């Protein structure tokens, strides 16, 4: 059952915090649209977000921070990002910055990228991140492919039963998603998504030009490239046996023929749990991204639920380069 409670009720906020601490999901009002929030440092919570949205792939998620200090914990921001945060936070601006080593953001939330998208929202989202002491990963609280929700009723009807609690803060003021920018050094901003803050506001506040995505070739559109973030070795999918010298990524119980001859092996989920497998996927690909590993065999993953997104990412990792 999905409960809807007023966002300004302290008991509801306390309940939301308990749920987040337990790795569960809570929909929160923000100034832009409602977000489907979970603890960004928990692979299980982040996997639940993708599962609840029915997303067919793992796009990186925005991490919502309590304040500038929490943002600094997650990234060595740099002067331009800091200037943007001071000018527009809390507010509808997301800044893509380098992810700090050891930051409490699970690789599934960043889709394995070396960058992280940060935003400080107004109100209950920032308070919950502060009380939790960790960022909240939160995409818009709608099923994949549907419009972003701007009321609690909209969230409750779209995601009914797929999350525990919706905090109702009334209709969202901005009504479109946050603007996403990436600083390019200290000289320019690259606009990755138009949204609540206009290009003119961005350049007025920073004094630097705002370039289109095409001009910011150094910033990739995550998930768009076929071979995005692939390991160096050849990736062989749907492997039902291991060839000598291959590394092996398994899934589920049971022995696979040839495992003795593998150069390395790990399992996405020994019990065959897709949520656990999703949480382990990027770490597994990274673990085997090693010049000494020429080939990686990957067990078949069921193409249902989160399996669809896992298989999408594995296909990209296996695409010819
Ligand atoms: O207004 C908003 O931003 C809402 C509310 C809930 O805060 N959130 C939202 O999140 O729209 P989401 O996850 O639906 O949007 C994520 C966008 C995607 O387009 C993704 O590609 C981009 O942010 N993104 C996330 N991390 C990124 C990164 N490291 N580099 C580039 N783009 C990134
Ligand atoms: Mg969305």
């Amino acid at each position: 059952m999905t409960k809807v409670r007023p966002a300004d009720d302290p008991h509801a906020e306390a309940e939301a915090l308990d749920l987040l601490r337990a790795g569960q999901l809570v929909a929160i009002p923000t100034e832009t649209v409602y977000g489907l929030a979970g603890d960004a440092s928990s692979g299980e919570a982040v996997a639940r977000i993708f599962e609840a949205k029915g997303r067919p792939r793992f796009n990186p998620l925005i991490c919502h921070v309590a304040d500038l200090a929490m943002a600094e914990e997650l990234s060595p921001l740099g002067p331009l990002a800091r200037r943007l945060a001071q000018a527009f936070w809390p507010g509808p601006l997301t800044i893509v910055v380098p992810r700090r080593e050891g930051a409490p953001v699970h690789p599934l939330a960043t889709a394995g990228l070396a960058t992280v998208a940060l935003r400080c929202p107004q109100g209950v989202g920032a308070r919950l991140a502060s009380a939790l002491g960790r960022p909240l990963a939160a995409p818009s609280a709608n099923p994949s492919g549907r419009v972003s929700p701007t009321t609690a009723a909209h969230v409750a009807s779209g995601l009914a039963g797929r999350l525990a609690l919706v905090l109702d803060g009334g209709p969202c003021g901005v009504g479109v998603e946050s603007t996403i920018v990436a600083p390019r050094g200290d000289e320019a901003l690259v606009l990755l998504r138009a949204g609540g803050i206009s290009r003119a506001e961005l350049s007025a506040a920073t004094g630097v030009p705002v370039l289109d995505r095409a001009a910011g070739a150094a910033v990739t559109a995550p998930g768009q490239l076929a071979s995005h973030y692939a390991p160096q070795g050849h990736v062989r999918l749907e492997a039902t046996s291991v060839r000598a010298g291959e590394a092996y990524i398994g899934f589920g119980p049971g022995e696979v023929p040839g495992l003795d001859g593998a150069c390395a092996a790990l399992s996405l989920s020994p019990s065959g749990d897709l949520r656990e497998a999703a949480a382990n996927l990027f770490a597994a690909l990274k673990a085997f991204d090693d010049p000494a590993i020429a080939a990686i065999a990957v067990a078949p993953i069921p193409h249902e639920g989160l399996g669809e997104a896992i298989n999408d990412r594995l296909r990209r990792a296996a695409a010819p380069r």
Side-chain angles (χ1 to χ4, degrees):
M1 254 303 284
T2 300
K3 278 189 283 187
V4 180
R5 307 270 309 271
D8 59 4
D9 172 355
H11 298 293
E13 192 169 321
E15 188 182 350
L17 183 59
D18 286 343
L19 288 164
L20 292 169
R21 283 189 176 131
Q24 300 294 322
L25 308 184
V26 176
I28 55 166
T30 80
E31 60 276 78
T32 58
V33 300
Y34 276 75
L36 180 60
D39 179 347
S41 70
S42 158
E44 169 139 346
V46 177
R48 276 183 211 280
I49 293 176
F50 287 106
E51 192 174 41
K53 284 185 67 84
R55 267 202 185 169
R57 32 156 123 148
F58 297 125
N59 294 322
L61 304 176
I62 294 171
C63 291
H64 296 67
V65 295
D67 49 29
L68 188 55
M70 186 180 277
E72 301 267 13
E73 276 174 40
L74 307 183
S75 168
L77 293 177
L80 186 50
R82 209 165 287 129
R83 210 144 19 112
L84 284 168
Q86 276 156 354
F88 296 106
W89 285 359
L93 181 71
T94 298
I95 313 171
V96 175
V97 286
R99 175 187 199 278
R100 200 188 275 286
E101 190 68 38
V105 175
H106 192 274
L108 189 58
T110 53
L113 293 171
T115 53
V116 61
L118 300 179
R119 142 161 148 80
C120 175
Q122 242 156 37
V124 71
R127 288 201 302 276
L128 286 169
S130 171
L132 187 67
R134 290 190 289 278
L136 296 174
S140 51
N142 52 286
S144 182
R146 307 257 293 276
V147 297
S148 296
T150 54
T151 66
H154 202 162
V155 177
S157 69
L159 293 176
R162 298 196 217 169
L163 79 170
L165 177 65
V166 182
L167 293 178
D168 185 353
C172 299
V174 177
V176 295
E177 284 91 345
S178 60
T179 298
I180 305 181
V181 292
R184 205 173 69 178
D186 290 329
E187 291 83 51
L189 292 172
V190 179
L191 185 66
L192 298 179
R193 179 174 78 182
I197 302 278
S198 71
R199 196 187 274 268
E201 288 173 288
L202 290 169
S203 45
T206 58
V208 302
V210 181
L211 311 176
D212 288 322
R213 182 192 280 251
V219 181
T220 58
Q224 301 309 306
L225 300 172
S227 65
H228 174 69
Y229 258 69
Q232 300 166 61
H234 172 77
V235 177
R236 186 167 70 84
L237 302 179
E238 310 278 340
T240 51
S241 66
V242 187
R243 298 175 188 156
E246 280 182 328
Y248 177 65
I249 297 180
F251 175 83
E255 278 283 291
V256 62
L259 190 58
D260 285 353
C263 71
L266 52 78
S267 176
L268 294 177
S269 169
S271 67
D273 176 49
L274 286 167
R275 196 181 289 153
E276 182 183 27
N280 288 331
L281 178 64
F282 289 102
L285 291 173
K286 192 151 187 238
F288 287 168
D289 182 15
D290 183 322
I293 295 180
I296 303 168
V298 187
I301 311 290
H303 203 67
E304 66 202 29
L306 281 172
E308 195 183 345
I310 295 172
N311 283 320
D312 169 75
R313 176 55 48 158
L314 286 172
R315 272 197 307 275
R316 287 164 200 277
R321 275 156 266 154

